[in-house]
């Protein structure tokens, strides 16, 4: 990691803060995917309702991400990043005290507001502070924090359900959500506002003209905004269709034990971690579009094999690695790409809208998978929606420009 050693102190501290924030977001968010089966039993809900609990978080994260992006362009990246982390952390802890489906639904919606904002603001912060020659690898490597948080969630799940009664184990997992709040202290002390943002603010104050949040829909930017939003829809729709339902798929259709499910998922998570790192390298090597095309093709092929073919336990274990590798590596170039597509006055706004529009539409996929699973089976439902999503990635990647090496202003 020569690029990391070449970064200055501010760049490294920003990298640590963004990496930690994304890892802790993953920990809090992915805990839900492990307890879906338990919640179905405890609160007597069906798969469709369980899917809604996943979908509502993603839908509200779309709102939160765009709102956080607009606020970050107005009040600063660092200040808004701290607020999103605190909001997300508090809501996650409160879910552990919920007494019925309606309370969980409300808290999952509120949780989504912070979840959407953290990535949108953190990614822009990284993109503006890190130099052009390191941007792709640095921002891409931050994405690998998701695999780290996911792995910790899997370990916590295995431990909690091994040592605690089921009725308390799922609550304890959400109470762990208090941890991200501690990251705010580090950010307050060590991470400054990007100089580029400060210059943009001074320029707008001097001219007494502030760029409208709706500028991303102006004739000059509408094509970029629309295609970027569709690109993010495909990448996230495919990812959420798989990761939301995969633990339940392994448990109900492959009939794996709790420990077995954790073991299989750890192989997928390891593949995800390496996929993020390889994707971070390829996004600078092949370019932003090249990275997206390679991983979209790999993702479609892996999901088809994993969910549609009749495999032995040993084969499934081995194939879990390329599944995680492909589904995650596609995100490594996304942050740098979106940062480079939008101009500074609306960068967080445009990036927040595009990524979270994709998240909002992609949020429908878990619910649709749940409904389709009633008639077609869970594996077929996952394969159908994820395959269509990655086809969308291929189409939009061809239509967007390459931005590798672009200086941002």
């Amino acid at each position: 990691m020569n690029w990391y050693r070449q970064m200055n102190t501010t760049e490294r501290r920003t990298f640590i803060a963004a990496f930690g924030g994304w890892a802790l977001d993953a920990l809090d968010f992915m805990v839900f995917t492990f307890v879906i089966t338990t919640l179905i039993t405890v609160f007597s809900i069906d798969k469709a309702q369980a899917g809604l609990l996943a979908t509502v978080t993603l839908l509200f994260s779309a709102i939160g991400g765009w709102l956080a992006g607009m606020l970050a362009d107005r009040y600063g990246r660092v200040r808004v990043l701290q607020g999103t982390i605190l909001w997300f952390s508090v809501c996650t802890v409160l879910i552990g005290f919920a007494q019925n489906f309606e309370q969980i639904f409300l808290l999952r919606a509120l949780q989504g507001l912070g979840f959407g904002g953290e990535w949108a603001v953190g990614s822009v912060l990284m993109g503006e502070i890190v130099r052009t020659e390191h941007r792709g690898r640095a921002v891409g490597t931050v994405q690998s924090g998701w695999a780290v948080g996911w792995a910790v969630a899997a370990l916590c799940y295995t431990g909690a359900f091994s040592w605690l009664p089921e009725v308390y184990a799922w609550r304890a997992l959400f109470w762990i959500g208090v941890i991200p709040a501690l990251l705010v202290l580090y950010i307050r002390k060590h991470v400054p506002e990007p100089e580029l943002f400060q210059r943009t603010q001074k320029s707008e104050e001097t001219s007494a003209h502030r760029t409208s949040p709706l500028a991303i829909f102006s004739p000059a930017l509408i094509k970029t905004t629309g295609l970027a939003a569709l690109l993010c829809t495909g990448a996230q729709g495919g990812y959420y269709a798989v990761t939301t339902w995969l633990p339940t798929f392994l448990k109900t259709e492959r009939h794996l034990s709790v420990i077995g499910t954790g073991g299989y998922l750890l192989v997928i998570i390891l593949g995800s971690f390496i996929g993020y790192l390889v994707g971070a390298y390829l996004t600078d090597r092949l370019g932003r579009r090249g990275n997206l095309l390679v991983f979209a093709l790999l993702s479609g092929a892996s999901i088809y094999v994993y969910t549609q073919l009749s495999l032995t336990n040993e084969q499934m274990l081995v194939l879990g690695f390329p599944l995680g590798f492909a589904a995650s590596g596609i995100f490594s170039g996304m942050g740098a790409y979106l940062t480079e597509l939008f101009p500074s006055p609306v960068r967080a706004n445009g990036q927040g809208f595009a990524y979270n529009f994709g998240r909002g539409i992609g949020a429908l996929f878990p619910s649709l998978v749940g409904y389709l699973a009633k008639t077609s089976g869970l594996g077929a439902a996952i394969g159908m929606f994820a395959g269509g999503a990655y086809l969308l990635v291929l189409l939009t990647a061809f239509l967007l420009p390459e931005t590798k090496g672009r200086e941002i202003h």
Side-chain angles (χ1 to χ4, degrees), residues 134-159:
H134 301 317
R135 186 182 300 126
R137 278 165 290 184
V139 178
T141 302
V142 163
Q143 292 284 164
S144 69
W146 185 269
V148 174
W150 190 5
V152 173
L155 293 172
C156 290
Y157 163 75
T158 302

Side-chain angles (χ1 to χ4, degrees), residues 31 35 38 156-176:
V31 155
V35 300
T38 300
C156 290
Y157 163 75
T158 302
F161 278 78
S162 297
W163 302 326
L164 296 173
E166 186 177 33
V167 68
Y168 296 115
W170 74 269
R171 295 184 183 277
L173 289 176
F174 285 108
W175 292 334
I176 294 173

Side-chain angles (χ1 to χ4, degrees), residues 370-390:
Y371 281 110
L372 185 61
K374 294 179 180 180
T375 56
S376 301
L378 194 51
I382 293 172
M384 182 180 300
F385 282 101
Y390 289 116

